[in-house]
Amino acid sequence: MAAAAALALATPFAIKSADAATTPAATSVTAAQALAAVQANMTTANKVNSKPHINTMTRAQNVNVYQVKPGVYAYTSGMAIDTDGSDSDPDPDHQGETTWQDSNGKALGAHHVPFYVLGDDCWDRTSPCPHFFYQDHNMTGRQFALMFYNGKVIGSIFGDTQTANNQTTSDNDSRELGEASVKAAQLLGIPSSGTTGGVDNGVTVVMFSGSSWVVSGTNATLNDNAQARVQQALDSLGTGASTPPTTPPGSTVFEAETGTLSAGGTFDSNHLGFTGTGFANPANAAGAYVDIPVTAAAAGTKTLTFRYSDGTTVARPATISVNGTSRGTLNFPITADWDTWSTASISVPLTAGANTIRVTGTTAVGAANIDSVTIS
């Protein structure tokens, strides 16, 4: 079987395993549908860990794991690059062994096998572990997972374990999440250098527990064998009931990530529930802003409805400007967490054609995360 590339989210996967071969192609679940179903179940009620995980790439303690279906676990994080295994690599952190081996007992090759990395040790020394620890969840080596990123999905396997940067090398720390092999990064279109590669956020890993989801094969075949199970896994997740926010008739939505940010701001995708491809995360500073380009069919007073999140404990008021002129201050109250979105509205005059909406934080914490603005 030829090696399979990453699957675009909008396109059904054409290759099925024997278990899924009887499912008609017309009813196959697309990757976008499956990801929406997963995200709909990544809720506080379904959270597995009682302590937050460390994002391996950013070192922020903001990664959680959710049981999205019986025996299926998911998290969203960055991706750090693992170069370990039987393939040589000049990366200074390269190790010749991986924790798990192929079916012939050989160390996995990070350049040939798409694998993800988990902690091998429950640092907290309690059972069940307050962090996600694979042994508590019927998982072992070569356990299958889907990996989603930026419109693509691939199959991968549990291949290696890691040590936290703030731990001794004797502890493979269950507190960390977010590392994967060179091959996984290459298939997802993520820079794959062990020293300069990786991505800070937006990678969703969906792990399938149980012996039926353990992938067999050698370094030469494990990639193909993992990709051959992608559609079976997508179909098992279903389409979910998640729907995007409704847009009132006569309204137009403009995504914040099409705009520009002042210094220190970022366009992110590490929180659930956003529309489009991400959201604006302005810098935490008074005066930090996001500019959102919008178009009005005709001049007149319009209502701007901002979709936002503020997972802190204080509201984030902001000045709303149109084409460089302040049109007042709008309050953005707190939301339950950063994955919960709310709306705040203000009426402003717009000119016909192109306009620029600026949201400027007025306090030291800056503006809220802005997902979009709707004009009505």
Side-chain angles (χ1 to χ4, degrees):
M1 182 187 300
L7 170 63
L9 280 182
T11 307
F13 196 63
I15 302 174
K16 288 181 174 287
S17 70
D19 292 339
T22 58
T23 304
T27 62
S28 294
V29 173
T30 68
Q33 291 171 329
L35 182 58
V38 167
Q39 291 176 333
N41 288 306
M42 294 175 77
T43 63
T44 300
N46 294 332
K47 189 170 71 169
V48 174
N49 56 296
S50 57
K51 293 183 179 180
H53 286 263
I54 301 167
N55 183 328
T56 304
M57 193 68 176
T58 67
R59 314 308 304 159
Q61 295 185 28
N62 60 1
V63 181
N64 294 304
V65 182
Y66 305 88
Q67 182 171 320
V68 295
K69 288 189 67 174
V72 183
Y73 304 92
Y75 66 89
T76 297
S77 70
M79 181 188 285
I81 307 303
D82 190 321
T83 61
D84 291 347
S86 54
D87 306 319
S88 59
D89 191 278
D91 184 271
D93 295 324
H94 171 79
Q95 298 175 5
E97 297 296 316
T98 52
T99 301
W100 305 107
Q101 301 171 332
D102 71 5
S103 296
N104 287 342
K106 187 174 182 180
L108 300 176
H111 293 75
H112 290 84
V113 180
F115 62 72
Y116 59 99
V117 179
L118 299 175
D120 190 37
D121 175 82
C122 184
W123 181 85
D124 305 87
R125 302 295 189 265
T126 60
S127 182
C129 191
H131 299 94
F132 181 83
F133 183 39
Y134 71 92
Q135 290 183 3
D136 292 336
H137 301 287
N138 196 24
M139 292 179 61
T140 185
R142 303 200 310 272
Q143 199 79 48
F144 179 82
L146 293 171
M147 301 183 75
F148 298 85
Y149 176 71
N150 197 27
K152 296 179 181 178
V153 65
I154 64 169
S156 62
I157 63 171
F158 178 21
D160 204 3
T161 55
Q162 64 192 350
T163 300
N165 289 353
N166 55 352
Q167 290 299 114
T168 67
T169 55
S170 62
D171 288 325
N172 289 325
D173 197 340
S174 60
R175 292 179 298 175
E176 282 205 32
L177 279 174
E179 187 173 358
S181 68
V182 172
K183 185 65 174 181
Q186 289 173 342
L187 292 176
L188 289 172
I190 294 170
S192 58
S193 166
T195 52
T196 61
V199 66
D200 283 352
N201 58 61
V203 179
T204 297
V205 180
V206 183
M207 301 170 288
F208 295 76
S209 67
S211 59
S212 65
W213 284 102
V214 175
V215 181
S216 298
T218 66
N219 275 300
T221 63
L222 276 169
N223 179 38
D224 285 343
N225 294 348
Q227 305 319 318
R229 302 202 70 174
V230 168
Q231 189 62 55
Q232 178 190 2
L234 294 175
D235 289 343
S236 74
L237 294 172
T239 59
S242 178
T243 56
T246 56
T247 302
S251 301
T252 306
V253 178
F254 297 89
E255 296 290 343
E257 65 268 25
T258 64
T260 56
L261 288 156
S262 58
T266 56
F267 293 112
D268 296 335
S269 58
N270 58 325
H271 295 297
L272 303 177
F274 61 83
T275 59
T277 60
F279 55 87
N281 177 10
N284 294 331
Y289 63 83
V290 57
D291 282 340
I292 308 173
V294 304
T295 303
T301 299
K302 310 292 182 182
T303 298
L304 304 183
T305 300
F306 295 91
R307 189 168 188 261
Y308 76 94
S309 67
D310 175 11
T312 64
T313 58
V314 295
R316 300 195 177 205
T319 299
I320 308 301
S321 301
V322 179
N323 301 326
T325 301
S326 173
R327 297 300 179 180
T329 299
L330 180 62
N331 195 38
F332 292 85
I334 63 173
T335 55
D337 51 41
W338 291 110
D339 298 328
T340 301
W341 300 86
S342 187
T343 57
S345 299
I346 187 172
S347 294
V348 301
L350 296 182
T351 60
N355 295 263
T356 299
I357 309 299
R358 174 170 289 190
V359 181
T360 306
T362 62
T363 66
V365 295
N369 287 353
I370 304 297
D371 181 38
S372 64
V373 58
T374 299
I375 297 179
S376 57

